[in-house]
Amino acid sequence: MKSDKITFIGGGNMATSLIGGLIADEYENRAITVSDPDLDKLSQLAARYGVTTEPDNNLSVAQAEIVVLAVKPQIMEPVARALAPALQQNKPLVISIAAGITAGALADWLGSELPLVRSMPNTPAMIQSGATGLYAGASVNEHQRNQAESILRAVGMTRWVEDESLIDAITAVSGSGPAYFFLVMEAMEESARALGLDEESARLMTLQTALGAARMAIESSDSPALLRQKVTSPGGTTERALGILEAGGLRTLFNEALQGAAERSRELSNLLGHKENG
């Protein structure tokens, strides 16, 4: 069993998902510690997973080899600053899963020379189907990169970026991406009902079609463009529907939407990490 000592600062949904994924991946449950001020939450995690719990953040990281910062971005600065003296004692690998918090801001709050990995998971990680972008600071060695990847891979696939600014692109594509697909599903359900299908049929046919298309795209060596062409018969129903979507500017809308999301990600990083520059 894997037994690197991991401490989670924060026991919310994403931390819970990572813990569940790690244990399913044969991590030793007693090697995992969770710190959170909510004692009921700690009690539930201990009962469900058999992990160690500790309401005091500083005590929880005393022996940790890896610390996962899983608190809300809005409270990351005070939490990180309070943790800094304890983390400087043994300099564990620190992994942040907080959206919008740059590696520079973390280094400013936690102190220098800590190995830092910034990650951007998405909500499907809560069902072990996530897509996570990872960025490693200069102090992170190859072993620590592997440790970080192993932890985040427990809830889905991972991809490294070597330029931290690309985390904004990851945020726009996969961080916000589930909502784009939910919107498409919502619109298709509404149209299906307008065509006469009952509510349950409209929902199930839409969701199963989405699942099937995603699985085909993942399991096929063909690109989405080629898969689309293969199911589009000349003069058929699909061709007509796609023609209407293209004429409506679907590609342009998606490009503008993702550009907007990436821009907002940069804005939030500047806002949340304002202390980094002053």
Side-chain angles (χ1 to χ4, degrees):
M1 296 183 74
K2 301 172 187 176
S3 58
D4 292 331
K5 293 180 180 179
I6 304 175
T7 291
F8 285 85
I9 303 298
N13 289 335
M14 194 63 73
T16 299
S17 300
L18 284 166
I19 292 165
L22 287 170
I23 290 174
D25 199 30
E26 299 188 342
Y27 236 94
E28 185 180 340
N29 54 1
R30 287 298 173 184
I32 299 172
T33 298
V34 187
S35 182
D36 195 286
D38 187 333
L39 298 182
D40 288 338
K41 186 180 293 181
L42 292 183
S43 178
Q44 292 169 14
L45 287 167
R48 182 176 180 183
Y49 295 114
V51 296
T52 302
T53 60
E54 170 55 65
D56 186 304
N57 285 351
N58 289 320
L59 290 178
S60 74
V61 301
Q63 303 299 321
E65 299 168 74
I66 303 168
V67 174
V68 180
L69 300 177
V71 300
K72 293 179 179 180
Q74 293 81 0
I75 64 169
M76 180 63 84
E77 182 178 358
V79 169
R81 288 190 183 279
L83 270 174
L87 294 180
Q88 288 294 331
Q89 291 295 316
N90 58 342
K91 291 184 167 52
L93 169 64
V94 177
I95 303 170
S96 169
I97 63 172
I101 304 295
T102 66
L106 285 170
D108 183 51
W109 302 334
L110 293 172
S112 61
E113 299 181 2
L114 279 176
L116 299 172
V117 170
R118 180 184 174 190
S119 70
M120 182 63 226
N122 62 3
T123 52
M126 290 189 282
I127 57 167
Q128 280 72 57
S129 297
T132 301
L134 295 165
Y135 168 77
S139 298
V140 178
N141 61 39
E142 191 64 26
H143 173 64
Q144 291 166 331
R145 283 173 70 105
N146 290 335
Q147 287 178 310
E149 184 172 344
S150 177
I151 290 169
L152 275 302
R153 203 171 52 231
V155 291
M157 61 85 71
T158 58
R159 296 290 292 181
W160 287 95
V161 296
E162 300 308 316
D163 181 344
E164 187 179 6
S165 67
L166 291 175
I167 289 289
D168 296 315
I170 295 287
T171 300
V173 175
S174 61
S176 299
Y180 313 153
F181 290 104
F182 295 149
L183 178 60
V184 171
M185 294 177 203
E186 181 184 352
M188 287 182 65
E189 281 188 47
E190 290 174 357
S191 296
R193 292 196 298 271
L195 287 168
L197 291 180
D198 62 84
E199 185 172 344
E200 183 178 11
S201 295
R203 179 176 183 274
L204 292 177
M205 295 301 287
T206 296
L207 298 185
Q208 183 62 34
T209 299
L211 174 63
R215 287 192 61 182
M216 283 187 69
I218 289 172
E219 296 175 12
S220 174
S221 60
D222 294 336
S223 67
L226 185 54
L227 290 172
R228 171 181 55 78
Q229 293 168 15
K230 285 182 176 181
V231 299
T232 306
S233 301
T237 59
T238 306
E239 184 182 63
R240 178 170 295 189
L242 292 177
I244 294 169
L245 291 171
E246 294 278 16
L250 182 69
R251 292 176 189 269
T252 299
L253 281 174
F254 263 99
N255 182 56
E256 291 176 355
L258 268 68
Q259 292 287 348
E263 181 181 357
R264 183 55 177 159
S265 178
R266 290 188 289 271
E267 291 171 355
L268 290 173
S269 290
N270 290 334
L271 179 65
L272 293 166
H274 62 94
K275 294 293 186 182
E276 178 185 354
N277 296 318

